Amino acid sequence: MKQFKLGKSNLDVPAIAVGCMRMSSLDLKQAGVFINEALDLGANFFDHADVYGGGQCEEIFAKAIEMNSSKREKMILQSKCGIRPGVAFDFSKEHILNAVDGTLKRLHTDYLDVLLLHRPDALVEPEEVAEAFNKLQDQGKVKNFGVSNQNPMQIMLLQKYLRQPIIANQLQLSITNANMIKQGLHVNMQDDGAINRDGSVLDFCRLNDITIQPWSPFQFGFFEGVFLGNDKFPELNKKINEIAAKYNVSDNTIVIAWLLRHPANMQPVTGTMNIKRLKDCVVACDICLSREEWYEIYLSAGNILP
Ligand SMILES: NC(=O)c1ccc[n+]([C@@H]2O[C@H](COP(=O)([O-])OP(=O)(O)OC[C@H]3O[C@@H](n4cnc5c(N)ncnc54)[C@H](OP(=O)(O)O)[C@@H]3O)[C@@H](O)[C@H]2O)c1
């Protein structure tokens, strides 16, 4: 699988990250088969969060493969913290430290390769985040740090106090949720495409070597469903079918190839728990869509060009 460095770090990562948010839908045996087959595909980067399945996803993951140090060395583990169900968001030092301890326990490991702050906390005190990150790094519990769903100003605010570089920003991005791309095409126009919803996060991340990890690459809306094979997107499905047939690959492959074709070197986070679909996503690393194909797909999702 195609590899690159995650952000400014020295961490070599595969271009596709395996999201584990839906792992609690599997039993231990199914999860074990899925994880081992993913590793065989070179998909050894796993994305977790303390809140996925209320902690069950991390637990199932470790139990399913009977995690030990030799298995741990073969994989790159990322998890997230900062969401407190029933409360809201919490970037306090105490919460971050406790959350990481919980994740390490559930994953049966003593370190995370990457920790992301899951969703912005309106009450963030960056000095406290810095203290938490320093402690986690000094204790060897977390090697690298990043964020998720944050805009450039929020990242700059944190970065002012952090001694570690923010190396990743996990953001919702798919062909049908492509605001961050759309606004760059509609600069200074009168139409809604020009509405800047994220402070130009795409350009900011490229300028600062922060890897964007697109989450939910197959979903439209906020978890409304999969756009592939969906009657709501006839033109898009027709175009994806046509290009998939040309390359002799599946529709899923083309969806991921569309994200990988962007020169920002993004690392899509897939959510499938089906090994055949994950394999189709990995195949996307071998496909380089032409400029024309990339724009045709963009337009077939209902987007327009100025
Ligand atoms: N940072 C954040 O705020 C945030 C938020 C949400 C998610 N995430 C991360 O992103 C990862 C991916 O999110 P996601 O699971 O929503 O992503 P996704 O890959 O867009 O969706 C996966 C779901 O779509 C189904 N699917 C995919 N292709 C399909 C097809 N051709 N036909 C029918 N069903 C299809 C999968 O079913 P099968 O399993 O049957 O293939 C699975 O249920 C998560 O695991 C998590 O790690 C992060």
Side-chain angles (χ1 to χ4, degrees):
M1 171 146 33
K2 180 184 160 191
Q3 301 257 333
F4 48 69
K5 301 268 185 222
L6 195 64
K8 284 191 179 113
S9 76
N10 271 328
L11 194 60
D12 288 308
V13 297
I16 311 290
V18 181
C20 297
M21 180 181 74
R22 299 174 192 266
M23 195 158 272
S24 52
S25 64
L26 305 183
D27 63 29
L28 285 184
K29 194 168 168 218
Q30 291 167 327
V33 171
F34 176 79
I35 298 163
N36 283 316
E37 292 190 6
L39 288 170
D40 290 344
L41 292 171
N44 68 339
F45 187 108
F46 297 95
D47 179 66
H48 288 274
D50 56 351
V51 288
Y52 291 162
Q56 273 189 50
C57 296
E58 290 178 333
E59 230 168 67
I60 289 171
F61 182 90
K63 280 189 186 152
I65 51 158
E66 296 173 357
M67 182 73 90
N68 58 34
S69 53
S70 75
K71 284 178 184 159
R72 176 65 185 91
E73 280 162 22
K74 293 191 184 115
M75 51 181 73
I76 302 167
L77 293 182
Q78 170 172 282
S79 193
K80 311 183 212 71
C81 68
I83 296 181
R84 278 181 63 192
V87 179
F89 307 108
D90 192 343
F91 285 1
S92 66
K93 179 179 174 186
E94 188 189 6
H95 178 71
I96 294 171
L97 295 177
N98 286 338
V100 170
D101 282 343
T103 284
L104 294 178
K105 197 169 170 208
R106 285 187 293 275
L107 285 173
H108 297 186
T109 182
D110 46 17
Y111 71 96
L112 286 176
D113 295 284
V114 189
L115 174 72
L116 305 183
L117 296 175
H118 206 154
R119 256 194 186 279
D121 173 11
L123 303 181
V124 61
E125 292 178 67
E127 300 90 333
E128 268 204 43
V129 175
E131 279 179 34
F133 282 12
N134 289 347
K135 186 157 187 195
L136 291 169
Q137 189 178 45
D138 294 344
Q139 291 174 327
K141 290 181 178 175
V142 177
K143 311 275 183 208
N144 298 282
F145 299 85
V147 296
S148 176
N149 305 306
Q150 292 212 7
N151 71 27
M153 286 297 199
Q154 291 167 326
I155 295 174
M156 282 195 283
L157 177 63
L158 274 179
Q159 196 63 79
K160 177 176 171 190
Y161 295 89
L162 297 181
R163 72 175 187 213
Q164 308 83 359
I166 298 283
I167 62 165
N169 188 9
Q170 198 171 110
L171 295 158
Q172 186 174 20
L173 173 63
S174 70
I175 300 167
T176 54
N177 282 27
N179 282 323
M180 72 175 78
I181 290 170
K182 194 187 292 184
Q183 74 193 24
L185 287 165
H186 290 247
V187 172
N188 201 30
M189 305 288 294
Q190 301 273 19
D191 59 18
D192 284 356
I195 296 171
N196 189 331
R197 292 188 160 87
D198 57 41
S200 303
V201 75
L202 173 56
D203 297 321
F204 176 83
C205 288
R206 291 183 80 181
L207 276 166
N208 291 281
D209 302 313
I210 296 171
T211 300
I212 291 180
Q213 298 179 326
W215 57 262
S216 292
F218 295 98
Q219 308 286 315
F220 64 96
F222 195 71
F223 303 114
E224 278 179 57
V226 175
F227 55 78
L228 285 181
N230 191 316
D231 292 344
K232 287 189 177 155
F233 302 94
E235 289 305 313
L236 175 61
N237 276 287
K238 193 167 158 235
K239 181 52 70 184
I240 289 178
N241 281 170
E242 181 192 309
I243 297 176
K246 177 184 157 194
Y247 286 95
N248 196 21
V249 295
S250 76
D251 291 354
N252 282 61
T253 301
I254 298 301
V255 170
I256 299 297
W258 189 82
L259 291 169
L260 293 179
R261 174 62 179 81
H262 195 283
N265 247 354
M266 299 185 197
Q267 186 191 31
V269 189
T270 61
T272 184
M273 291 290 111
N274 172 319
I275 200 68
K276 160 82 176 65
R277 285 210 184 104
L278 181 62
K279 202 172 189 171
D280 289 345
C281 295
V282 171
V283 168
C285 294
D286 302 325
I287 300 222
C288 183
L289 295 177
S290 69
R291 188 172 285 270
E292 289 75 11
E293 288 162 345
W294 190 90
Y295 272 105
E296 282 169 14
I297 291 172
Y298 177 76
L299 291 171
S300 69
N303 294 305
I304 52 166
L305 295 177

